[in-house]
Amino acid sequence: MAGDQIIVLTRTQLVCVGDAIEAFLRLEMAGLSAQTAHWYRVRLEALGEWLGPGRALSTVLEMELDEYRAALAGRARKDRRKLPRISAFTLHGHVRAVKRLFRWLYQRDVLPADLGRDLKLPKLPRQGRKGISEGNLAAILSAAQEGSIRDYALLRFLESTGVRRGGIEGLLLSDLDVDLEDERLRRRATVREKGEKSRTVIMSREALRALLAWLEIRPEIEDQHVFLGRSPGQAWHALSAGGISGIVSRYKKRLGLRGDCSPHQWRHRWARHHLHQGMELSQVSQLLGHEDVGITVRFYGQFTMDQLQESYDRFH
């Protein structure tokens, strides 16, 4: 299935596993962000390698998907090759991708049954996702404030909004209202994440000050992206998602920090911090851009006993 021609799959076609995956990625991922499409591609290509990309899809059995899940969890049968051990969160993502693929194949009448319907999602650790440590976050912000007006503005925006990396990458000057008289409106911005989905985020006063400082010295070029970058001797251009991650990685390396400091860890920390400070779960969910509050509960709704006791003592 090559080229731009959209081919409608039917149950009567002899479809191989690799072709089914490519059709899913091309048709079901259309309109979504490149990051989301890549996320599914990595996980489904791993499944394709396991089953055999040239194998007839009609020969795949439900029990094989269970075996694949077991192999990912490090519990493969002796007669099947084991896969590298992965975390519960990574396993959860792989299983979600498999379930979505086979649900799509069933809905498109490619398969007579949804083979992934009963595939169980693994239980996630009760502590949820903590995110970057407060110490690492403070160290990176302090170093950026002393070293780069652009970096400090970007990191303050990341720290105070809980935005995804793609939201910063696609942020345009027209998405800001920094010239309005009302400070509440100046502290809002429109971001687009996961394709063309847009939402409003709120930044802190410190983030607004840092952003205004960057806008004062931002090069005046035709490109309207807020955050720009350039290589030595090259022209200014929109900062890519990889460039955003690279900024955080450079500070981590320079400061000799340990632990995961990636941009998405800042988002996890944002959620944990605001929940711990007493913000309602539904409000956190809306500000994070979750379509379902259940997603917020799954990743951030579980607290340590120390957190629960502190909250109890505050309200009792």
Side-chain angles (χ1 to χ4, degrees):
M1 293 186 181
D4 297 329
Q5 182 183 11
I6 297 178
I7 301 177
V8 179
L9 298 175
T10 67
R11 204 188 311 174
T12 58
Q13 289 177 289
L14 182 59
V15 182
C16 68
V17 171
D19 283 348
I21 291 174
E22 286 300 322
F24 170 84
L25 294 171
R26 184 171 64 254
L27 301 177
E28 186 70 356
M29 297 292 106
L32 300 183
S33 69
Q35 290 88 351
T36 299
H38 179 71
W39 187 91
Y40 275 96
R41 176 173 291 278
V42 169
R43 285 151 183 80
L44 293 179
E45 285 184 348
L47 171 69
E49 288 298 317
W50 173 267
L51 295 174
R55 177 182 172 184
L57 184 65
S58 60
T59 66
V60 176
L61 303 176
E62 184 178 355
M63 63 177 294
E64 292 181 283
L65 300 185
D66 288 327
E67 290 178 355
Y68 178 64
R69 183 193 183 284
L72 288 171
R75 300 191 301 272
R77 288 166 41 187
K78 292 182 179 180
D79 59 336
R80 295 300 298 268
R81 59 187 177 88
K82 291 186 178 181
L83 297 175
R85 191 67 180 267
I86 56 179
S87 70
F89 290 107
T90 303
L91 175 61
H92 196 277
H94 276 272
V95 175
R96 278 165 43 211
V98 172
K99 288 176 71 69
R100 181 167 179 179
L101 169 66
F102 282 93
R103 182 171 64 249
W104 181 83
L105 291 171
Y106 169 64
Q107 292 172 344
R108 287 293 185 107
D109 288 330
V110 182
L111 291 174
D114 181 0
L115 299 182
R117 185 188 64 180
D118 297 327
L119 194 63
K120 292 184 178 179
L121 287 166
K123 291 184 177 180
L124 295 175
R126 289 185 60 82
Q127 70 269 21
R129 297 184 173 182
K130 296 180 180 180
I132 183 174
S133 70
E134 295 296 324
N136 285 352
L137 180 137
I140 291 176
L141 286 175
S142 178
Q145 186 175 22
E146 296 177 1
S148 170
I149 294 176
R150 182 207 63 179
D151 291 357
Y152 187 62
L154 186 153
L155 293 171
R156 270 297 179 188
F157 189 83
L158 175 65
E159 175 267 335
S160 68
T161 62
V163 71
R164 297 178 177 89
R165 184 180 62 169
I168 295 179
E169 178 187 22
L171 189 66
L172 302 175
L173 295 175
S174 59
D175 296 325
L176 306 175
D177 292 312
V178 295
D179 295 327
L180 296 179
E181 183 176 349
D182 190 332
E183 188 210 41
R184 293 183 308 164
L185 299 181
R186 292 203 305 272
R187 288 169 49 208
R188 299 174 190 174
T190 300
V191 298
R192 283 164 296 280
E193 303 169 326
K194 295 196 169 187
E196 293 302 317
K197 293 181 181 179
S198 63
R199 65 186 182 93
T200 299
V201 296
I202 303 172
M203 70 185 89
S204 65
R205 293 180 175 85
E206 177 61 30
L208 176 60
R209 287 192 291 268
L211 184 60
L212 291 173
W214 160 243
L215 292 178
E216 287 183 3
I217 66 169
R218 177 189 175 277
E220 295 185 6
I221 63 174
E222 185 175 350
D223 193 308
Q224 294 297 293
H225 285 86
V226 172
F227 293 106
L228 307 175
R230 67 172 177 178
S231 302
Q234 302 296 318
W236 287 95
H237 55 81
L239 196 62
S240 67
I244 295 169
S245 294
I247 289 173
V248 179
S249 296
R250 285 193 293 273
Y251 282 105
K252 177 185 177 182
K253 183 177 180 180
R254 183 196 310 174
L255 298 170
L257 303 178
R258 294 186 176 184
D260 193 348
C261 298
S262 65
H264 211 68
Q265 293 300 316
W266 293 56
R267 176 174 166 84
H268 293 327
R269 176 262 172 194
W270 184 96
R272 276 286 179 187
H273 173 77
H274 285 80
L275 286 171
H276 187 55
Q277 292 299 316
M279 182 180 283
E280 292 184 11
L281 185 66
S282 59
Q283 294 175 330
V284 170
S285 181
Q286 184 173 339
L287 286 171
L288 285 171
H290 286 164
E291 294 183 353
D292 182 358
V293 71
I295 299 174
T296 317
V297 173
R298 182 189 305 161
F299 289 125
Y300 309 111
Q302 300 294 336
F303 299 90
T304 66
M305 185 52 65
D306 287 342
Q307 290 173 318
L308 290 173
Q309 186 168 349
E310 182 178 335
S311 180
Y312 174 89
D313 290 339
R314 186 166 68 247
F315 288 103
H316 183 64

